[in-house]
Amino acid sequence: MQRIRFYYDIVCPYSYMESRAVESAEDAGRVVVEWLPFELRPAPRPLLEPRGDHLRVDWTQNVYRRALALGIEIHLPRYQPRSTLVLAACLWAGDQGGLRPFKHALYEAFFCEGEDIATDPEIRRAAERVDLDPDAAIAAAYAPERTARIAEIRREAETAGVRGVPSLLAENGESHWGVGGLERLLAGEPLVPRT
């Protein structure tokens, strides 16, 4: 069984789709996964315009087609928030043994319901949906040590060659950026790092 590190962001549609493949392989006992948050656009990087050309083109040409092929419901979000708070809450949910359902609740709220998940009410609602303590989820989202951990994870990932999400890092140090990395790894094919 191979061990991998999987880097994701809740606001990335490709992370949303690829996480399902990773979860399936994890459930089948094919890989052991360390789930690591990697903020796509940390401050002060500018956020994308929710109705800007970049998103419209990418979603029209790539995201919707891939999601349809996978049978995944997904919609272009109305918001493009920073994900620092939700990723800090994800670290906490992982400590509680509830990362997977918590991530799913956030992904559903963002990509299916069109909610701004980087708000206290949405973090609270995601925790409530999966029977985690909503007050503790909010506190964790603002905990300086969790924000520091997110920054530390990013530094470690970048040192290993990870530059975006979704990305996986194999035990041998090879990385793959984008979708299909796990499939390639399990098939013994070369991984494709971000250059």
Side-chain angles (χ1 to χ4, degrees), residues 18 20 26 35 43 71 95 102 105 108 120 128 137 139 143 148 166 182 191 193:
E18 188 70 0
R20 291 182 178 227
E26 185 177 44
W35 295 85
D95 292 343
F102 187 65
E108 184 176 309
D120 292 4
E128 289 170 345
L182 183 64
L191 300 181

Side-chain angles (χ1 to χ4, degrees), residues 3 6 10 18 25 35-36 40 65 74 79 91-92 96 98 106 116 123 132 147 168 170 178-179 184-185 192 194:
R3 303 182 72 83
F6 183 74
I10 298 297
E18 188 70 0
W35 295 85
L36 295 166
L40 194 56
R65 183 179 320 129
I74 193 166
Y79 305 94
L91 284 174
W92 167 82
Q96 310 307 305
L106 291 166
D116 183 353
I123 294 170
L132 290 173
T147 304
L168 70 78
V179 296
R184 294 177 71 86
L185 179 72
V192 182
R194 186 170 185 176

Side-chain angles (χ1 to χ4, degrees), residues 37 145-158:
E145 65 273 13
R146 296 202 190 276
T147 304
R149 178 66 182 131
I150 290 169
E152 180 184 4
I153 289 168
R154 184 181 192 90
R155 283 190 301 275
E156 291 170 355
E158 288 177 340

Side-chain angles (χ1 to χ4, degrees), residues 82-135:
R82 297 238 181 260
S83 54
T84 312
L85 296 176
V86 291
L87 293 178
C90 283
L91 284 174
W92 167 82
D95 292 343
Q96 310 307 305
L99 176 60
R100 185 185 292 193
F102 187 65
K103 280 191 304 126
H104 282 251
L106 291 166
Y107 279 137
E108 184 176 309
F110 189 59
F111 289 115
C112 299
E113 300 169 2
E115 301 295 341
D116 183 353
I117 57 170
T119 64
D120 292 4
E122 285 303 317
I123 294 170
R124 172 178 297 282
R125 187 167 74 108
E128 289 170 345
R129 282 178 158 180
V130 299
D131 296 324
L132 290 173
D133 181 338
D135 292 328

